[in-house]
Amino acid sequence: MINLLDHLAAALGPGGVIIAPEDIAPFGTDWRGLVSNMPRAVLRPRDTAGVAAALRLCAAAGVPVVPQGGNTSMVAGAVPSRDGAELVLSLSRMNAVRAIDAAGLTMEVEAGVTLRAAQDAARDAGALLPLSIGSEGSAQIGGVISTNAGGNNTLRFGNARDLVLGLEVVLADGTIWNGLRRLRKDNTGYALRQLFAGAEGTLGIVTAAVLRLARAPRQRQTCFCAIPSVEAALDLFARFRDEDEAALYAFEYISGAAMAVNQSYMPDFRLPLETASPHYVLLELATTRRRDPLRETMEAVLADALEAGVITDAAIAESEAQRAAFWAIREHLSESQRRAGASVKNDVSVPVAAVPSLLARAAAMLGARHPGARMVAFGHIGDGNIHLNALQPEDGDAAAFAARGEDLMEDVNAIVMELGGSFSAEHGIGQIKTHAFGQLRSAAEREIMRRIRAALDPAATLNPGKLF
Ligand code: MLT
Ligand code: ZN
C-alpha cells in the first residue's frame, strides 16, 4: 500500500492524496452516521486523466476504490464497507461547469459540481435544471447520476437518469469512455449512459455528464395545504392533474407526525397555516407560458377542494421568500429526523392509489410489532414514493431501537411487496439495503446484474460491499 500511495501521489500531484487521519475522517462516515469505516487514504484527482491514472494503479495493486461526491447517501453508498482497507476517490476537485447550451437546453458539467451550483448555472443562463433534492447544496452531480436521484420534481421531469444525455465514465481498469454527446436522439446500441446511471459506482466512475435542461418557468405558484386524510391528498392530486398536468411540478406529502418532529428540531420553525393538521401537502404549479392564468388555476382548484372537504386550509406563497420558507419546511424533515434520534428509513414506493393502504397498514403493524416507534411519513406522494421512516420511541434507547432496525424494515417491506411496491424507491441500495436486495429481488435479476458487473469490473474493486 505504501508503494501504491507513492505512485498515486506522483500521478495526482500536489494535494492529490490525503493520508492524515484527521483529514480523512469525514470521508469515512456517512451523512446519517450509520457507518464509520476509515479509508486508507483519500484520492483527489483534478481531471479525468487523473481518475484514470488512479484507477489503473489501484487495479494493478488490487486495492478497492470507493467513489465519493458530497457524501449525502441515505444508504451509506459512498463510504468504505471495510475499515482501513479501501481508498476513497473524491470527485470534489472536478467541479467545472464546462458549457451551457441555453438554446439547445443542455449543460455539460464535471462530476464534482454540486447540484445547487449546476442549478444556479442553468438558471443564470435562463434555463432550469429540473432536479431538486434536500441535499442539493452538498450532493454532487456524479453521485446524483450514480444513484439516479429522484426528489421533488420527478413527478414532472423524471429521475436523474431521465436527464442524462451524455456521460463520461472511467472503468475499473482505467479505460475512459467519453460519451459526452448532447443529442436528443442517439440510437446506437446499448444505452450505456442509462447503465451507469444508478449503478452506484459499481460499474465505473462518472466523471462528467451532459444534462438535459428545461425552459425556465415564467410563473410559479406554491401552496401549503392542510388535509384531513391521506385519501384526501390523493383526491387533491387528481384534481390538479386533471386541471393542468403539465403545470404540476411538485406534490409533496407531510404527515402530522413528521411536521411535529420538524417543529421540535427545525430552527425558527413556523407553520404556514393557522392550525395544525393530521396531514399536509406542499404543491407547486409552474409554467413557461407568459399569459397562463396560473394563480387563477391554483385558487379555483383550492376553492373547489375546500368546498368538497378535501382540504381544510391553504396558504399560497405571496413572495419568493415565502415560497422558499415553504420549501425549507419540506427540506428540513430529514435533518430534523436525524436530530431526533435513531431512525429506520424506509424509502418505499407503491402504485399511487395504494398509498393510503400502505400508510394505514404500516401504522397498524408498527403499533403491534414495534410499540413506541413513531411513524414519520412524508415524501413524494405524487410518485407513490413515501419516506415511511420510523423514529425511535421518545426517551427510548437509540441503540436498542437501531438493533431492531432490520426487523422493522422487513416488516415494512412485507407490506410494500404485497402492495406491488419497491423497497427502495430513490435512495438506492448502498450498504444498508443489501439484505433486502438479496431477499426481495429475484435470483435471476441479481444474476443479470452480477454478470454485468463482472464484465466491467471483474475483480470487483469498484465500490465493493454496495448493492451485492
Ligand atoms: C427526502 O425526500 O427528503 C429524502 O429523500 C427522505 C429521507 O430523508 O428519508
Ligand atoms: Zn425523497
Side-chain angles (χ1 to χ4, degrees), residues 81-415:
S81 54
R82 286 179 304 149
D83 198 39
E86 301 172 4
L87 298 176
V88 162
L89 187 146
S90 162
L91 281 305
S92 297
R93 290 210 294 182
M94 294 178 60
N95 60 0
V97 174
R98 289 183 185 163
I100 299 187
D101 175 357
L105 289 175
T106 62
M107 78 191 302
E108 184 176 323
V109 286
E110 292 183 351
V113 173
T114 64
L115 178 53
R116 181 163 300 146
Q119 291 166 344
D120 289 349
R123 196 201 45 229
D124 292 348
L128 172 75
L129 173 56
L131 189 82
S132 171
I133 56 180
S135 56
E136 62 200 23
S138 326
Q140 297 173 8
I141 293 296
V144 162
I145 292 172
S146 297
T147 58
N148 185 27
N152 304 327
N153 299 133
T154 300
L155 179 65
R156 175 67 175 78
F157 295 100
N159 293 315
R161 179 178 274 135
D162 300 296
L163 302 178
V164 176
L165 294 177
L167 216 54
E168 181 185 75
V169 178
V170 181
L171 303 185
D173 64 2
T175 301
I176 299 172
W177 170 52
N178 182 336
L180 289 170
R181 298 187 283 266
R182 48 185 171 136
L183 307 170
R184 305 280 158 160
K185 291 187 119 177
D186 176 21
N187 207 357
T188 50
Y190 297 147
L192 296 181
R193 62 188 188 279
Q194 303 296 9
L195 184 63
F196 289 106
E200 302 193 19
T202 60
L203 300 181
I205 297 184
V206 171
T207 46
V210 177
L211 301 174
R212 176 199 298 272
L213 301 177
R215 290 177 57 225
R218 287 200 167 88
Q219 303 180 50
R220 286 183 203 269
Q221 292 293 331
T222 310
C223 176
F224 222 105
C225 301
I227 312 271
S229 64
V230 186
E231 286 81 356
L234 289 188
D235 187 325
L236 187 68
F237 176 59
R239 284 165 187 261
F240 275 104
R241 219 174 32 170
D242 187 44
E243 187 67 33
D244 189 350
E245 186 170 23
L248 193 51
Y249 272 40
F251 195 92
E252 295 286 311
Y253 167 75
I254 303 175
S255 65
M259 193 65 95
V261 174
N262 236 359
Q263 187 148 14
S264 307
Y265 293 94
M266 179 177 176
D268 306 322
F269 174 86
R270 211 178 66 80
L271 187 68
L273 302 164
E274 296 277 299
T275 49
S277 167
H279 311 271
Y280 303 88
V281 159
L282 170 59
L283 73 103
E284 189 156 278
L285 302 182
T287 179
T288 57
R289 286 199 286 264
R290 257 189 209 95
R291 284 175 289 277
D292 192 294
L294 201 65
R295 176 74 181 214
E296 285 83 337
T297 302
M298 178 69 98
E299 285 177 357
V301 176
L302 291 177
D304 288 351
L306 193 63
E307 200 177 310
V310 165
I311 63 173
T312 53
D313 194 7
I316 302 177
E318 297 297 348
S319 63
E320 188 49 40
Q322 207 176 4
R323 169 179 178 251
F326 286 9
W327 276 109
I329 290 173
R330 166 64 185 88
E331 297 303 9
H332 209 272
L333 291 168
S334 279
E335 177 60 19
S336 295
Q337 199 195 322
R338 187 168 76 124
R339 292 185 191 178
S343 61
V344 177
K345 279 188 189 285
N346 300 289
D347 162 39
V348 303
S349 62
V350 293
V352 178
V355 170
S357 169
L358 167 72
L359 291 174
R361 291 177 63 176
M365 179 280 291
L366 282 180
R369 294 182 48 87
H370 305 272
R374 288 169 282 169
M375 187 166 109
V376 180
F378 61 94
H380 322 289
I381 192 170
D383 301 313
N385 174 195
I386 298 292
H387 299 302
L388 218 169
N389 299 336
L391 187 58
Q392 68 167 86
E394 227 156 356
D395 308 321
D397 178 33
F401 181 71
R404 293 204 58 204
E406 201 74 51
D407 282 354
L408 192 151
M409 236 188 266
E410 276 184 24
D411 289 337
V412 169
N413 288 341
I415 299 169

